[in-house]
């Protein structure tokens, strides 16, 4: 499988959902990106949607979560594995810093895995951008207008988010790029009707160190996307795994699904950064509810990167 880096530069604020509407994130998960691409495929036609879905279902297309970048520095999720470093044992300040750490520079991954990362001089994420609360008024479906608040995020100049895409052939790559072009005009995330989430994107070669780790075979793997093993994979995947779960939910975006807006079924998945001792395929799950007119897909396939005992690869 070949890999590319898609660098997204947002033209305005983004709203990547969290628990409440007035909260937000500066990154989004692979399932959010996949759902948005499915909506763009629907606009082209049912055949396009089916082709895109099948590529992803069969593993011919893979998506990572979206991670932050600052300038030319790309960040990866902190691997959920114990890093051995006797020099830091017992130092409460460093332990707290490691606990708070969410992302590490991609070009420092080897250093981090060796236990030599300078955690006290890690990049300051306050430089990435800033949150704002947007005040709006709900009119549709209301007897009287009602105010509500939206959590938005603005990236500073030169910053944004990126994702890694994997593809097995040029046809899959071409379809994905066409859908991303369409999505760049529609926007990614919530409140797109207000102009949020629109972006330009650039396709770039992935740094060789990351490419090597994505293709390497080892004794430990980190997923770069939210993922959920199939039932027949679950037992072996959980053996020795270090992970965190998160609940993925939300409303169905399709106007054709039901006369009124309906919620998707909740699905608990492993977060990006979770680590496993074996590879697995994961799946795309149907999270539609009763009364829906068509399936609703939740992407939960891993993009696995080798993060085992450090070695030259």
């Amino acid at each position: 499988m070949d890999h590319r880096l898609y660098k997204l530069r947002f033209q305005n604020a983004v709203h990547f959902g969290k628990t409440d509407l007035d909260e937000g994130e500066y990154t989004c998960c692979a399932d959010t990106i996949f759902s948005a691409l499915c909506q763009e495929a629907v606009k082209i036609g049912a055949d396009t949607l089916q082709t895109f879905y099948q590529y992803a279902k069969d593993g011919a297309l893979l998506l990572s979560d979206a991670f932050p970048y600052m300038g030319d520095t790309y960040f990866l999720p902190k691997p959920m594995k114990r890093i051995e470093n006797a020099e830091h044992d017992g130092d409460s300040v460093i332990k707290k810093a490691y606990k708070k750490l969410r992302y590490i520079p991609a070009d420092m991954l080897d250093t981090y895995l060796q236990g030599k990362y300078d955690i006290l001089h890690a990049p300051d994420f306050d430089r990435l951008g800033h949150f704002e609360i947007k005040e709006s008024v709900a009119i549709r479906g209301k007897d009287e207008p009602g105010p509500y608040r939206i959590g938005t995020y603005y990236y500073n100049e030169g910053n944004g988010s990126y994702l890694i895409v994997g593809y097995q052939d040029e046809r899959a790559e071409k379809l994905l790029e066409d859908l991303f072009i369409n999505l760049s005009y529609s926007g990614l995330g919530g409140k797109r009707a207000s102009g949020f989430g629109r972006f330009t994107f650039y396709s770039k070669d992935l740094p060789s160190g990351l490419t090597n780790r994505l293709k390497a075979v080892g004794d430990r793997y980190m997923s770069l996307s939210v993922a959920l093993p199939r039932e027949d994979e679950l037992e072996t995947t959980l053996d020795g795994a270090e992970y965190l779960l998160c609940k993925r939910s939300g409303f169905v975006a399709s106007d054709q699904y039901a006369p009124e807006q309906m919620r998707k079924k909740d699905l608990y998945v492993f977060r990006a950064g979770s680590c496993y001792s074996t590879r697995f395929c994961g799946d795309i799950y149907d999270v539609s509810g009763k009364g829906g007119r068509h399936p609703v897909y939740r992407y939960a396939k891993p993009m696995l990167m080798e993060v085992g005992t450090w070695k030259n690869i």
Side-chain angles (χ1 to χ4, degrees):
M1 175 169 282
D2 294 318
H3 297 86
R4 298 283 290 174
L5 185 152
Y6 280 17
K7 187 174 183 178
L8 312 185
R9 182 175 297 171
F10 290 93
Q11 302 166 3
N12 203 338
V14 297
H15 174 72
F16 296 144
K18 206 173 181 181
T19 303
D20 297 318
L21 186 61
D22 61 356
E23 298 178 319
E25 287 280 3
Y26 48 74
T27 57
C28 68
C29 297
D31 57 352
T32 297
I33 300 169
F34 180 79
S35 295
L37 292 170
C38 283
Q39 292 173 45
E40 296 305 318
V42 167
K43 296 175 186 177
I44 299 173
D47 289 344
T48 301
L49 174 62
Q50 181 59 34
T51 300
F52 176 63
Y53 166 79
Q54 204 62 52
Y55 275 141
K57 177 81 170 176
D58 295 342
L61 275 176
L62 289 177
L63 302 173
S64 77
D65 284 10
F67 304 124
Y69 71 83
M70 289 193 282
D72 293 326
T73 300
Y74 301 95
F75 293 86
L76 292 172
K78 178 183 71 174
M80 296 180 193
K81 58 173 289 186
R82 177 173 173 78
I83 302 299
E84 298 293 342
N85 191 329
E87 181 182 346
H88 293 167
D89 285 349
D91 190 322
S92 61
V93 174
I94 291 179
K95 284 183 176 180
K96 288 179 181 178
Y98 267 107
K99 188 174 181 179
K100 290 174 60 178
L101 186 68
R102 292 182 62 187
Y103 298 101
I104 56 175
D107 59 3
M108 297 293 289
L109 179 60
D110 287 348
T111 302
Y112 178 86
L113 293 173
Q114 294 176 72
K116 298 178 181 179
Y117 184 61
D118 188 357
I119 186 70
L120 298 182
H121 294 88
D124 180 6
F125 268 78
D126 287 342
R127 296 190 293 110
L128 180 67
H130 64 279
F131 284 102
E132 289 187 9
I133 297 294
K134 178 180 173 60
E135 303 281 351
S136 296
V137 177
I139 298 176
R140 184 181 301 176
K142 301 283 186 180
D143 294 332
E144 296 183 3
Y148 66 97
R149 294 159 32 118
I150 306 170
T152 61
Y153 191 82
Y154 290 83
Y155 295 99
N156 290 339
E157 183 66 28
N159 301 339
S161 62
Y162 80 97
L163 68 150
I164 299 171
V165 301
Y167 55 91
Q168 286 186 346
D169 60 55
E170 292 182 356
R171 291 174 300 173
E173 180 193 18
K174 179 64 167 58
L175 175 57
L176 181 63
E177 187 162 325
D178 288 345
L179 293 177
F180 254 100
I181 291 172
N182 293 349
L183 181 61
S184 70
Y185 295 105
S186 300
L188 179 62
K191 301 300 177 182
R192 291 177 294 171
S194 300
F196 293 169
R198 293 174 185 169
F199 60 88
T200 55
F201 81 96
Y202 309 88
S203 176
K204 303 181 61 173
D205 290 335
L206 199 62
S208 60
L210 297 185
T211 299
N212 291 341
R213 285 196 175 275
L214 286 165
K215 294 183 176 182
V217 175
D219 60 1
R220 204 69 178 157
Y221 300 95
M222 172 176 71
S223 177
L224 299 182
S225 61
V226 289
L228 181 63
R230 301 189 309 255
E231 187 173 349
D232 61 306
E233 300 174 313
L234 191 57
E235 184 175 352
T236 55
T237 302
L238 288 176
D239 186 17
E242 298 169 278
Y243 60 88
L244 287 175
L245 291 174
C246 62
K247 184 174 76 170
R248 304 298 293 160
S249 56
F251 290 92
V252 179
S254 170
D255 294 333
Q256 303 172 14
Y257 181 72
E260 58 185 19
Q261 195 173 46
M262 297 180 64
R263 293 190 67 89
K264 304 174 186 178
K265 290 181 181 177
D266 295 340
L267 188 70
Y268 285 86
V269 297
F270 299 130
R271 289 185 182 180
S274 296
C275 291
Y276 314 92
S277 58
T278 185
R279 289 182 173 273
F280 63 97
C281 293
D283 210 344
I284 297 174
Y285 295 89
D286 184 359
V287 292
S288 57
K290 292 182 179 179
R293 296 171 180 163
H294 58 72
V296 178
Y297 300 128
R298 176 73 75 186
Y299 183 88
K301 297 182 73 70
M303 178 178 285
L304 295 169
M305 171 180 284
E306 193 273 336
V307 291
T309 302
W310 184 83
K311 56 185 176 180
N312 288 316
I313 58 175

